[in-house]
Amino acid sequence: MGKSRAKIFQIIFVLVTTGAALVWPQPSPLCRLGVISTPYLTSQTIEELGPKRNFLVRTGPAGLAEAFRLAKEEKLSSLIILGDLTWTGSEADFEKLKGLLEKAPVPVILVPGPRDLSGGQERFLKAFARYAASVRFSRQVNGVRLIFNGLPVEKVEEQTAFLDWLDKESTLAESPEAVLLFGQLGSFLRQPAGHQLELLQRFRLRCQENRVAAALTPGHSHTCELVSNLPVWSAPTAGWPGEGNALGIVTVFPERIELSLCRSQQPWQTLTVPNPVKTARFDPGKDPYLLPPYSQDLAEKPELTFVLSGDPQFDDLTVERHKSRFSAVVTMNRALVEELNRLKPELVFVAGDLTNKHTPAEWQLFQETYRQLKMPVYLVAGNHDRLPPKDFWGTGKLKDLEETEKQTWSFLESTIKSCSGPLTLFQYFTRDFPSAGKPYYTVEKAGCVFICLDSSAMDEENGGLGSQQLAWLEKELERTKNARHVFVISHYPVHEPFGNTGLPAYQAEREKVRVLLKQYQVAGFLCGHRHFSASALVDATFHLVADDLCWGESTSYWIVHVFPDRIVYAWKPFQSPRHGVNTLYERIIVPEPRRKD
């Protein structure tokens, strides 16, 4: 992203999160740091790593190279790399890492992980004396105190040693302008039992007394949580697939800390937390929504707030190979409904794949769950919501679905008594929702237009969107060309880098959609299908992918606040209630392409 455009996003972001009037110029930050984690540098070959890990040959070097490029572009004061730095901690791995560090354009601070210390602390420090003062140390940068821990803190004796060291460090530190904690925190971030509970309380007390603004930890998947009142932000991984070569950028102001995911040529995704040296911490218990950033955004009075969630994909757990993967599907969907009823957005959109095997039992689970929402919910169909041809299942790899197919067709013949096409069950079971079972339709509210597409056949022969629907889409865009905000909602993405956009035969259809998005200045193209969260700004249209609610106990959804001149897309991590995790959210702020300057 160009410097001037990045500045515009920053100014808008300050207005949204602080409610302050625009003051020019904005106060300079105390410091700006880069942070990444787990590059997993390895000297092993593709053959030695094997098929499940051979990606490490390219991901770590590519992630570091992109981090170096962005750190130079953003003129950061230093780059912090959290371990595991290497894959095996061997001498050859160390040499590989040292060779790459020579190319760093800014000073580098290394914080080891367990793999890096497999040969002992002294060996690591001897190899990287230039980049690491110790495996546990602190440093002052422009009045900002940075605390680094590279040692494990899982066992009682490890936690005690860390806390004793932290007590000693606290007595030596001068009054800082801000305090940040980096590195291994282990079970301090989970709810332990017995003696460890006492240590956890001691850790939290020390963070409160030292006015630690946030803890930044390594990991494979990104999240932002509130542990007690301490924000915990996972630094993007440089070596594991999925983060898209993001660099974490920490911007420290006297009253706030901005923790941003920075990707090339894209608006930043930012968690903003109070700097407790100057400002009161977040206190969810005193917030009506238990989500302080949400209350901040609502205080700015958006024209509309809505939610995009992806792939509920209810499974009835009757097929053995699905039981483990879909074991939490009901829990996660019910928990989301409960959370949305607490947040009270004005609309909810579900981006398809409402069921997994398309059985009546799965449709009934969907109905029972999503009828509990206290606001209108609009649905689009996904590829899993289509009825396959009779006798399609029960052959080859799908042999275990033969009984499922029989039950579904029996329901069609005995209850619905006819089959009007592949979306018969979708239309039947969603007929009582506001979208009334329609395959594609338009919703209008508060100056916002939502054009909902049926992209469920993008992977079928003789499928695609079809000429009739494409003509309807163009007609709707023309009809609403004077609306303040327009969004298009689909199951399948049309932005090719997201992957799995449908059969190559429908490439011309997708290109037609992209041309229309640009021509009519569509604010956002919102979709699901990919079972991960992603975003990209393309020709002023923001493409957004919502994660699923069916695989595992950790996912996310999007909260969208619509303002006259900008759209705030808030990425909201979400975990199973049994984990007791209180998550925050990160904002991406995008100018409204139809705004009147």
Side-chain angles (χ1 to χ4, degrees):
M1 177 182 300
K3 294 292 183 181
S4 60
R5 193 170 189 180
K7 186 67 176 177
I8 290 171
F9 283 124
Q10 181 185 9
I11 292 168
I12 291 175
F13 183 76
V14 171
L15 288 172
V16 172
T17 55
T18 67
L22 180 60
V23 178
W24 187 268
Q26 292 296 318
S28 298
L30 299 171
C31 71
R32 298 178 73 240
L33 310 164
V35 58
I36 53 174
S37 76
T38 54
Y40 290 131
L41 269 298
T42 180
S43 58
Q44 292 182 329
T45 65
I46 289 176
E47 292 73 23
E48 289 172 325
L49 289 165
K52 292 185 177 180
R53 295 289 182 265
N54 60 25
F55 60 81
L56 293 172
V57 169
R58 56 178 174 78
T59 51
L64 277 183
E66 181 65 1
F68 292 165
R69 189 188 68 78
L70 291 170
K72 180 180 180 180
E73 182 179 289
E74 293 296 326
K75 300 179 180 178
L76 302 180
S77 60
S78 60
L79 174 64
I80 299 162
I81 308 178
L82 305 178
D84 290 310
L85 309 170
T86 63
W87 185 240
T88 68
S90 67
E91 291 290 349
D93 283 2
F94 282 5
E95 289 301 315
K96 182 77 174 275
L97 176 57
K98 283 193 285 187
L100 291 172
L101 292 177
E102 290 295 330
K103 302 174 184 178
V106 299
V108 170
I109 300 171
L110 295 183
V111 183
R115 292 174 182 265
D116 309 311
L117 300 179
S118 58
Q121 298 179 33
E122 291 185 10
R123 177 170 161 270
F124 171 81
L125 292 173
K126 182 179 178 181
F128 297 104
R130 177 179 169 187
Y131 307 103
S134 180
V135 293
R136 181 177 279 162
F137 60 101
S138 64
R139 184 171 295 182
Q140 203 96 341
V141 178
N142 293 340
V144 178
R145 185 167 175 243
L146 310 175
I147 303 172
F148 302 102
N149 178 50
L151 293 176
V153 285
E154 296 293 340
K155 301 175 182 177
V156 168
E157 56 269 26
E158 294 169 344
Q159 294 177 9
T160 302
F162 173 68
L163 290 170
D164 290 345
W165 174 83
L166 198 58
D167 288 343
K168 203 174 296 182
E169 282 290 304
S170 301
T171 62
L172 299 175
E174 299 178 2
S175 299
E177 298 289 335
V179 182
L180 294 167
L181 179 58
F182 295 83
Q184 309 292 327
L185 292 178
S187 56
F188 284 136
L189 305 182
R190 300 187 293 274
Q191 188 66 42
H195 184 49
Q196 284 186 308
L197 181 59
E198 297 176 18
L199 294 171
L200 173 64
Q201 292 169 342
R202 182 181 163 193
F203 169 74
R204 291 177 176 175
L205 179 62
R206 180 55 66 210
C207 288
Q208 293 282 344
E209 292 175 346
N210 284 355
R211 295 176 292 185
V212 175
L216 289 83
T217 62
H220 290 172
S221 58
H222 180 66
T223 191
C224 54
E225 303 172 0
L226 202 59
V227 178
S228 187
N229 282 353
L230 177 68
V232 178
W233 192 78
S234 54
T237 175
W240 209 254
E243 294 291 346
N245 284 341
L247 171 66
I249 294 184
V250 182
T251 308
V252 181
F253 292 94
E255 295 186 350
R256 70 184 188 279
I257 314 292
E258 296 178 2
L259 305 171
S260 304
L261 294 180
C262 172
R263 294 185 177 91
S264 183
Q265 302 300 311
Q266 291 296 322
W268 294 5
Q269 180 172 313
T270 300
L271 169 67
T272 297
V273 299
N275 180 356
V277 172
K278 297 276 188 179
T279 310
R281 293 181 181 275
F282 283 147
D283 188 348
K286 295 181 180 179
D287 186 85
Y289 303 101
L290 307 182
L291 185 59
Y294 186 72
S295 293
Q296 290 175 336
D297 286 335
L298 291 186
E300 293 298 310
K301 301 190 182 307
E303 294 177 312
L304 183 73
T305 293
F306 68 92
V307 159
L308 175 75
S309 69
D311 303 51
Q313 213 159 326
F314 282 90
D315 189 274
D316 57 17
L317 304 182
T318 56
V319 174
E320 190 64 34
R321 62 186 166 93
H322 289 164
K323 289 182 179 179
S324 176
R325 170 167 277 191
F326 290 90
S327 61
V329 63
V330 173
T331 297
M332 295 299 286
N333 278 277
R334 287 177 178 171
L336 177 67
V337 167
E338 182 179 342
E339 180 161 306
L340 295 185
N341 282 338
R342 185 179 74 242
L343 296 179
K344 302 174 184 173
E346 289 147 282
L347 300 173
V348 173
F349 292 89
V350 183
D353 277 2
L354 313 182
T355 66
N356 185 40
K357 301 189 301 297
H358 198 61
T359 66
E362 292 171 356
W363 279 111
Q364 287 160 6
L365 279 172
F366 173 81
Q367 279 187 326
E368 291 166 6
T369 304
Y370 279 80
R371 279 175 175 167
Q372 302 303 313
L373 280 172
K374 297 178 181 178
M375 69 290 299
V377 54
Y378 292 92
L379 313 169
V380 298
N383 53 304
H384 281 261
D385 302 321
R386 294 178 66 83
L387 184 70
K390 202 168 188 179
D391 300 323
F392 175 78
W393 290 349
T395 60
K397 293 181 179 179
L398 302 178
K399 182 68 177 173
D400 57 357
L401 297 179
E402 184 174 13
E403 186 60 33
T404 293
E405 181 184 63
K406 288 179 182 178
Q407 292 174 5
T408 299
W409 278 95
S410 173
F411 178 85
L412 275 167
E413 292 163 357
S414 63
T415 303
I416 303 179
K417 301 187 184 305
S418 66
C419 178
S420 58
L423 291 180
T424 298
L425 286 182
F426 170 82
Q427 293 171 307
Y428 179 81
F429 282 103
T430 64
R431 67 192 187 281
D432 295 331
F433 287 86
S435 46
K438 299 173 187 174
Y440 52 91
Y441 55 93
T442 300
V443 178
E444 299 185 40
K445 185 177 179 65
C448 297
V449 174
F450 301 91
I451 301 175
C452 301
L453 300 179
D454 172 21
S455 63
S456 61
M458 293 301 290
D459 270 322
E460 292 184 12
E461 299 289 344
N462 303 313
L465 294 172
S467 57
Q468 182 177 339
Q469 186 177 188
L470 278 172
W472 173 83
L473 170 62
E474 186 167 7
K475 183 179 178 180
E476 285 297 278
L477 288 170
E478 177 65 24
R479 180 181 69 81
T480 60
K481 64 184 179 182
N482 294 321
R484 294 197 298 275
H485 317 278
V486 176
F487 301 88
V488 175
I489 297 176
S490 163
H491 178 63
Y492 277 79
V494 296
H495 182 51
E496 301 291 346
F498 290 156
N500 203 355
T501 55
L503 292 179
Y506 308 129
Q507 175 64 29
E509 287 190 350
R510 293 189 289 273
E511 181 57 30
K512 174 66 172 177
V513 172
R514 291 192 292 266
V515 168
L516 291 173
L517 297 177
K518 182 178 181 180
Q519 177 183 341
Y520 285 97
Q521 297 179 296
V522 171
F525 187 94
L526 317 180
C527 62
H529 184 60
R530 297 299 289 119
H531 291 253
F532 57 67
S533 178
S535 63
L537 184 64
V538 183
D539 294 327
T541 296
F542 198 61
H543 293 251
L544 200 66
V545 179
D547 204 349
D548 68 82
L549 288 155
C550 58
W551 293 353
E553 298 186 335
S554 180
T555 184
S556 64
Y557 63 95
W558 291 92
I559 301 171
V560 185
H561 302 287
V562 182
F563 294 89
D565 61 342
R566 67 195 185 277
I567 316 293
V568 178
Y569 297 92
W571 176 75
K572 175 63 170 65
F574 179 68
Q575 293 194 21
S576 170
R578 76 184 185 90
H579 296 301
V581 173
N582 189 3
T583 56
L584 297 169
Y585 71 42
E586 298 173 341
R587 301 173 177 94
I588 303 176
I589 301 174
V590 180
E592 164 55 56
R594 296 186 176 192
R595 68 191 182 282
K596 305 297 183 183
D597 292 325

